[in-house]
Amino acid sequence: MRWVEDLFQGHTVIVGTTGSGKSNTLRFLARKAVEKGRRATILDWCGEHGLGFLTPFLPRIPFSDVRELLPTVLEETLRPSSGGISIGYAVTEGLEVAESWEELVVFLKTRALKRDMGAMAALRRLVPLYRRGVLVDGKLEEDLFSDTVLDLSNLPPFERRICLSMLLALIYSRAVSGVLGGDLCVFIDEAWQIHTGFEGMPVTLTMLMELRKYDVNVFAVYQEPLKQLLRYNMVVHTLGHQSRLEYFYSLFPAGVDKLRVGEAYVYTLNRRKWVKVKVPITKAEHVVNARVPRTTLLQEKKEGKVQYSKPSLEERIRRLEKEVEMLKKRLNLKC
Ligand SMILES: Nc1ncnc2c1ncn2[C@@H]1O[C@H](COP(=O)(O)OP(=O)(O)O)[C@@H](O)[C@H]1O
Ligand SMILES: [Mg+2]
């Protein structure tokens, strides 16, 4: 199947209406990637990609890897719905003093006490990820992106969007700093979730596209073909009655509205023409419900304990004590 080979050159956008076969195509291509001996990771929005050859884990995001990109990622993911700009502002201020997620949360709490709306909103979004063990302080011991499914399905919807954007930022920052390693395929189901609501090309996606320089192929699933995405390889499943829009008619081959589930038109930059294909079915082997993180942290290993998403009572008390200490310091209380 030459079209499959061609898709591994450059990035690929997979579009189609709900139920048209996008996720199946994503799994099929992920398996091909593994068969080709490439490293692969699926960012799994709904927990539907439990595959025998890739292991599902809860993602973990170390503070130091994403700190620089954090305000941008938060602003962008939350705009226009949840005061993205004021969240970004509060977080930017916090990053001037904080050296860890823990310290950032404490800083935001101090601000929130003074009714700073940006800080309150930022806390509302970050704390659930922090509590679940997705935001971690410390260094990851293993490679998060080789042959894994990173399962986001246990996170609440808004936090899930943030987590997805942060994972992209993590991949990007690791690539730029030379620790990601090349020959990686990143599969992102429901990638449109990181920028619903506006037409502009988000920074997160731009970063992702930059990844070609670092030998990373991205396969991203969208519900409809955004104009900015037409510069990549395309797999177009049926778009439902949307394909009757004049815009889509002129763009895609006639018959795109008559495609059945699993059929698609593929356009690759190598061949520069449309071919009709039937994507082989690739079933998920089990439902993902990952509550265990991929990697232990170095200090967890040293202490001989692996901390899963729920921190122990002692750990929570320790965090609270540290919080009280820092709050006192910041509020300048003499008590
Ligand atoms: N190539 C295919 N051949 C046969 N059935 C398919 C194919 N692709 C998907 N399906 C079936 O169609 C349904 C929806 O597929 P899915 O890939 O989840 O769609 P989407 O992600 O676009 O919503 C699933 O039940 C799946 O088994
Ligand atoms: Mg799907």
Side-chain angles (χ1 to χ4, degrees):
M1 284 188 274
R2 198 176 135 197
W3 63 274
V4 177
E5 285 306 310
D6 286 346
L7 290 182
F8 283 91
Q9 314 288 322
H11 299 309
T12 297
V13 178
I14 300 163
V15 293
T17 190
T18 305
S20 62
K22 303 181 298 294
S23 295
N24 180 69
T25 300
L26 197 80
R27 276 193 299 275
F28 169 72
L29 293 169
R31 192 170 68 194
K32 285 286 165 203
V34 173
E35 282 171 11
K36 286 159 77 70
R38 306 202 53 177
R39 297 156 67 216
T41 187
I42 302 182
L43 309 186
D44 187 357
W45 182 262
C46 314
E48 57 178 335
H49 296 300
L51 293 167
F53 53 91
L54 299 177
T55 326
F57 291 106
L58 189 78
R60 302 191 107 176
I61 301 171
F63 180 79
S64 52
D65 287 88
V66 294
R67 89 173 274 167
E68 279 192 10
L69 291 164
L70 191 61
T72 312
V73 163
L74 287 173
E75 277 173 14
E76 194 156 81
T77 314
L78 297 172
R79 200 165 45 192
S81 55
S82 303
I85 296 289
S86 45
I87 291 181
Y89 186 70
V91 170
T92 303
E93 279 206 299
L95 289 177
E96 280 170 23
V97 290
E99 294 298 332
S100 62
W101 290 117
E102 185 169 13
E103 289 181 14
L104 180 61
V105 166
V106 171
F107 174 89
L108 293 170
K109 280 189 178 169
T110 328
R111 283 303 170 89
L113 285 178
K114 298 178 194 159
R115 318 299 296 167
D116 176 327
M117 300 305 259
M120 286 157 86
L123 275 176
R124 167 76 185 77
R125 295 300 171 214
L126 291 179
V127 167
L129 292 174
Y130 183 61
R131 292 235 169 97
R132 281 176 167 81
V134 172
L135 305 182
V136 289
D137 295 321
K139 277 203 178 326
L140 293 182
E141 196 205 343
E142 298 153 71
D143 176 6
L144 196 60
F145 299 111
S146 283
D147 304 332
T148 50
V149 175
L150 295 180
D151 173 29
L152 308 180
S153 64
N154 283 318
L155 306 172
F158 263 105
E159 287 72 11
R160 218 188 293 185
R161 291 174 67 176
I162 295 172
C163 182
L164 183 56
S165 298
M166 282 189 191
L167 280 171
L168 303 187
L170 178 58
I171 293 172
Y172 180 71
S173 77
R174 294 213 144 176
V176 171
S177 57
V179 292
L180 186 68
D183 208 16
L184 175 67
C185 296
V186 179
F187 297 87
I188 313 170
D189 209 345
E190 311 293 6
W192 57 274
Q193 286 280 1
I194 53 177
H195 57 111
T196 51
F198 61 100
E199 266 287 295
M201 192 66 161
V203 178
T204 31
L205 218 58
T206 312
M207 289 182 323
L208 215 61
M209 297 319 173
E210 280 268 298
L211 287 172
R212 268 321 283 144
K213 290 183 199 153
Y214 303 93
D215 195 17
V216 178
N217 288 99
V218 175
F219 298 79
V221 166
Y222 281 77
Q223 300 266 340
E224 59 180 279
L226 300 181
K227 208 166 114 213
Q228 296 91 333
L229 297 171
L230 298 178
R231 70 188 82 158
Y232 306 109
N233 297 322
M234 303 218 57
V235 177
V236 185
H237 290 285
T238 187
L239 297 163
H241 66 230
Q242 257 198 329
S243 32
R244 288 165 201 276
L245 285 175
E246 210 178 314
Y247 168 66
F248 292 150
Y249 255 144
S250 56
L251 208 57
F252 300 126
V256 73
D257 58 333
K258 301 204 175 60
L259 291 173
R260 281 187 285 226
V261 176
E263 291 176 344
Y265 279 101
V266 175
Y267 185 94
T268 59
L269 298 172
N270 274 359
R271 272 208 268 188
R272 294 167 189 264
K273 63 176 187 193
W274 290 97
V275 287
K276 191 174 170 186
V277 306
K278 171 96 179 102
V279 183
I281 193 133
T282 304
K283 281 212 184 319
E285 283 149 45
H286 50 90
V287 175
V288 179
N289 191 10
R291 294 188 187 276
V292 181
R294 156 77 162 177
T295 75
T296 50
L297 298 178
L298 282 179
Q299 85 261 18
E300 286 170 4
K301 200 177 178 195
K302 227 183 279 165
E303 290 162 18
K305 65 168 189 195
V306 177
Q307 182 192 312
Y308 294 133
S309 48
K310 202 167 175 204
S312 65
L313 191 59
E314 291 79 21
E315 173 62 17
R316 278 155 66 196
I317 292 172
R318 193 196 66 75
R319 279 187 197 173
L320 282 173
E321 281 171 353
K322 186 154 181 210
E323 230 175 273
V324 170
E325 203 179 288
M326 289 184 66
L327 280 172
K328 273 187 195 166
K329 216 159 65 187
R330 288 203 197 287
L331 288 173
N332 243 342
L333 289 181
K334 292 192 179 64
C335 56

